[in-house]
Amino acid sequence: MLFINYLTFSINGKTLVKNFTWTKSKDGGLSYIYSIEPSSYVINKTYDGTLSPASITFNAYYQKDGSDRIPYHGLFTIEESTTGSDFKSTYLSSKNESSLTYTPTSNNIKSVRCILSQTDKVSVVLDRQTVTVSVSYTHLRAHETLSD
């Protein structure tokens, strides 16, 4: 039996959705945990629109019965949002992969969402991870002060 749960967090006006997937069997059999780990959970945007880091690497893992994590080869979907809530698909894996480095298509985004799907089955979502874009107001104020 496959269970999927979504937890939604709001921090400083940014929304983060975490998807948990686990399996359960009657006989206490094997359990699997699937996860996505981004190289950064936040992208910083400076006053001039520069995103840092410029790209994010998403790594997929699975864990069997509490053992060490193992790279998982599944399908990735990447979505971007300019509103923080409505997402547009910008990338879909053409083959199974365990890692993906993604560069946002513009600097006008508010978040990037990575979705991990089952090997060869994009319709079976195993995990999703959202990376938010944070505007650096400190840099913005410093720049405005210098240009006055």
Side-chain angles (χ1 to χ4, degrees):
M1 187 175 284
L2 178 68
F3 295 92
I4 300 174
N5 256 351
Y6 302 96
L7 292 177
T8 303
F9 303 91
S10 292
I11 302 169
N12 295 331
K14 304 288 184 190
T15 301
L16 181 71
V17 178
K18 181 64 182 159
N19 176 25
F20 296 92
T21 306
W22 67 92
T23 58
K24 179 181 177 183
S25 65
K26 290 181 183 179
D27 63 359
L30 299 177
S31 64
Y32 293 86
I33 298 173
Y34 300 90
S35 62
I36 301 169
E37 184 176 285
S39 56
S40 177
Y41 290 91
V42 176
I43 298 172
N44 294 303
K45 181 177 177 179
T46 61
Y47 68 90
D48 64 356
T50 302
L51 299 179
S52 178
S55 60
I56 300 287
T57 299
F58 294 98
N59 293 295
Y61 297 99
Y62 77 99
Q63 210 172 355
K64 183 170 130 181
D65 271 349
S67 63
D68 291 339
R69 292 185 317 168
I70 299 168
Y72 179 76
H73 289 79
L75 298 172
F76 286 99
T77 302
I78 302 291
E79 301 173 331
E80 292 181 350
S81 175
T82 56
T83 65
S85 57
D86 298 318
F87 287 86
K88 178 184 171 190
S89 182
T90 56
Y91 175 84
L92 175 61
S93 297
S94 60
K95 61 182 169 92
N96 295 316
E97 51 193 336
S98 65
S99 181
L100 167 70
T101 299
Y102 181 77
T103 302
T105 60
S106 83
N107 64 353
N108 294 324
I109 60 168
K110 291 195 175 181
S111 55
V112 175
R113 181 164 62 190
C114 178
I115 301 168
L116 174 65
S117 297
Q118 184 176 319
T119 301
D120 295 327
K121 287 190 179 180
V122 74
S123 62
V124 180
V125 174
L126 300 174
D127 193 16
R128 65 181 86 216
Q129 184 68 249
T130 302
V131 174
T132 59
V133 175
S134 174
V135 177
S136 177
Y137 291 106
T138 303
H139 288 118
L140 182 61
R141 287 190 197 113
H143 174 69
E144 287 175 345
T145 302
L146 292 173
S147 64
D148 286 346

